[in-house]
């Protein structure tokens, strides 16, 4: 299973947008700079996220994007499938696929377990979870940068 940069960057952009307090609009330029993503590519991703109903645009001097739904109501599964389409590891476990080799294939159960595990993990992870993880990681990094004693370098 390979998750494209489109889905990875889409989640990262949603985390950045969702981290802003009070639904403040975030310019894509800020997201691109903070995440090290090409602004042009991010604009394409934002268009997909907007069409999928995850973000909405705000026009004006303080314009940008903000979440269209509360972060706890957005699952990683929804975002990844909106950006990728099917996330089935092989075509035979896709919902509408009919396999004519099922009686001789010894791997279909394996792929169904992989598919179920992937859906379960992504489905149980909300954008709010990812935002909290991001904030914990950033806080840990900042704590490491502080000197143990004033005037002494780490």
């Amino acid at each position: 299973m390979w998750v494209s940069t489109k889905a990875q960057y889409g989640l990262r952009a949603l985390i950045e947008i969702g981290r802003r307090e009070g639904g403040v609009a975030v310019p894509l330029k800020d997201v691109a700079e903070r995440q090290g993503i090409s602004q042009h590519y991010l604009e394409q991703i934002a268009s997909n996220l907007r069409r999928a109903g995850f973000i909405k645009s705000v026009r004006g001097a303080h314009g940008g994007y903000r979440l269209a739904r509360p972060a706890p109501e957005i699952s990683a599964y929804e975002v990844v499938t909106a950006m990728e389409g099917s996330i089935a590891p092989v075509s035979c476990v896709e919902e509408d696929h009919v396999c004519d080799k099922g009686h001789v294939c010894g791997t279909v159960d394996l792929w169904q377990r992989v598919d179920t595990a992937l859906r379960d993990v992504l489905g149980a992870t909300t954008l709010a979870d990812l935002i909290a993880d991001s904030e914990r990681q950033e806080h840990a990094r900042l704590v490491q940068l502080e000197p143990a004693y004033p005037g002494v370098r780490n």
Side-chain angles (χ1 to χ4, degrees):
M1 167 81 210
W2 181 266
V3 177
S4 72
T5 57
K6 188 168 38 170
Q8 293 175 50
Y9 292 174
L11 280 169
R12 287 169 48 189
L14 287 173
I15 291 168
E16 283 298 322
I17 293 167
R19 287 182 69 179
R20 298 297 170 101
E21 298 292 324
V24 173
V26 182
L28 279 186
K29 179 182 179 212
D30 292 357
V31 175
E33 287 175 4
R34 185 159 159 86
Q35 289 294 321
I37 302 170
S38 154
Q39 187 172 345
H40 178 71
Y41 189 35
L42 190 56
E43 287 168 0
Q44 296 171 26
I45 291 167
S47 178
N48 290 345
L49 293 171
R50 188 182 48 73
R51 276 194 304 274
F54 299 118
I55 58 175
K56 56 185 171 184
S57 62
V58 177
R59 297 188 186 274
H62 300 287
Y65 288 91
R66 67 174 166 222
L67 295 180
R69 296 173 18 210
E73 295 178 13
I74 299 172
S75 74
Y77 176 79
E78 288 179 277
V79 177
V80 172
T81 56
M83 303 302 284
E84 296 283 333
S86 172
I87 60 165
V90 293
S91 63
C92 68
V93 297
E94 289 189 27
E95 291 176 21
D96 58 353
H97 183 78
V98 177
C99 181
D100 60 349
K101 304 267 190 274
H103 62 287
V104 294
C105 176
T107 64
V108 70
D109 289 340
L110 167 69
W111 298 125
Q112 286 175 337
R113 289 193 315 269
V114 169
D115 185 55
T116 298
L118 190 57
R119 289 172 190 266
D120 289 348
V121 169
L122 292 173
T125 305
T126 68
L127 181 57
D129 298 330
L130 296 173
I131 291 168
D133 289 346
S134 171
E135 290 174 349
R136 272 193 299 277
Q137 290 169 0
E138 185 168 328
H139 178 72
R141 190 174 66 251
L142 291 175
V143 168
Q144 285 180 335
L145 294 177
E146 291 179 7
Y149 302 98
V152 178
R153 291 184 177 193
N154 285 345

